[in-house]
Amino acid sequence: LGVPGARRGARTDEYVAAMRALWAGDDASYDGEFVSFDNVSSNPKPTSGAVPVVIGGHSAAAAKRAGRLGDGFFPGKGSIAELTEMIDIVRQSAAEHDRDPASIEITAAHPGLFGDDPVGAAQELADIGVTRTIAPAFMLLGSEGVEAKATEMAERIIAPIADI
């Protein structure tokens, strides 16, 4: 796309701010280093007034960005110890920027969700502050068919952890 990789973090921060300005109302203006516009309307607007911005990445910089400006954080990988460290960085960054750390949704996976103790794995994630987990689409593949695999996943994993 011809966009340099250097300063991608600063660019990302600014793009998020510019999008939020567009979502906030008509005749929006934004003047930054990477993007500028005056009296612009972007329609249709999100019905809730904003689109949740989930910051992805498994680095301290991504975790800090999530705490500073994200609505969510998705590290995508990591052991419980690594996830705990990233979540702590998110919370600390949020607090440093006068944001409620609890308002930032944390999404993470745990291989144990598909093992012998999915409830234990889900509890382990909940204990470190994960509020949403994911099931990779490949988990629905198999000779039984997607509907059968989805039903199995719902009965074996989703139903038992619904109250965690």
Side-chain angles (χ1 to χ4, degrees), residues 137-153 155-156:
F138 69 80
M139 296 299 296
L140 299 176
L141 299 177
S143 59
E144 306 89 347
V146 172
E147 186 175 338
K149 291 293 279 186
T151 299
E152 175 192 347
M153 186 180 295
E155 292 170 353
R156 190 172 162 294

Side-chain angles (χ1 to χ4, degrees), residues 17-18 23-24 27 33 37 39 48-49 58 70 75 82 104 109 119 124 128 137 147-148 153 159:
W23 296 329
D27 302 318
E33 178 181 353
F37 50 84
N39 301 320
S48 67
H58 190 74
E82 291 169 321
I104 301 168
V119 175
E124 193 171 26
I128 65 168
E147 186 175 338
M153 186 180 295

Side-chain angles (χ1 to χ4, degrees), residues 1 18 23 28 33 35 42 47 102 107 119 125 133 139:
L1 297 175
W23 296 329
E33 178 181 353
V35 62
S42 176
T47 57
T107 301
V119 175
L125 288 173
T133 190
M139 296 299 296

Side-chain angles (χ1 to χ4, degrees), residues 6 13 36 45 51 54 64 75 77 89 95-96 106 108 110 114 125-126 129 132 134 137 143-144 150-152 161:
D13 290 357
S36 295
K45 297 204 181 342
V51 173
V54 177
K64 287 177 184 176
K77 67 176 185 171
I89 292 170
E96 289 169 359
I106 308 293
H110 189 304
F114 312 104
L125 288 173
R132 176 182 289 191
I134 60 166
S143 59
E144 306 89 347
T151 299
E152 175 192 347
I161 67 173

Side-chain angles (χ1 to χ4, degrees), residues 8-154:
R8 66 185 177 269
R11 184 180 302 276
T12 298
D13 290 357
E14 190 170 301
Y15 285 176
V16 169
M19 288 185 297
R20 286 181 169 156
L22 288 169
W23 296 329
D26 290 326
D27 302 318
S29 296
Y30 186 88
D31 186 26
E33 178 181 353
F34 303 102
V35 62
S36 295
F37 50 84
D38 286 313
N39 301 320
V40 173
S41 293
S42 176
N43 294 297
K45 297 204 181 342
T47 57
S48 67
V51 173
V53 176
V54 177
I55 306 297
H58 190 74
S59 68
K64 287 177 184 176
R65 178 170 291 107
R68 187 174 66 251
L69 59 84
D71 299 302
F73 178 56
F74 178 32
K77 67 176 185 171
S79 66
I80 291 296
E82 291 169 321
L83 292 173
T84 300
E85 181 181 351
M86 291 293 109
I87 293 167
D88 287 346
I89 292 170
V90 170
R91 290 177 177 147
Q92 183 176 34
S93 177
E96 289 169 359
H97 291 88
D98 296 323
R99 299 184 68 215
D100 177 7
S103 71
I104 301 168
E105 182 178 68
I106 308 293
T107 301
H110 189 304
L113 290 171
F114 312 104
D116 294 333
D117 185 14
V119 175
Q123 187 62 60
E124 193 171 26
L125 288 173
D127 289 347
I128 65 168
V130 172
T131 52
R132 176 182 289 191
T133 190
I134 60 166
F138 69 80
M139 296 299 296
L140 299 176
L141 299 177
S143 59
E144 306 89 347
V146 172
E147 186 175 338
K149 291 293 279 186
T151 299
E152 175 192 347
M153 186 180 295

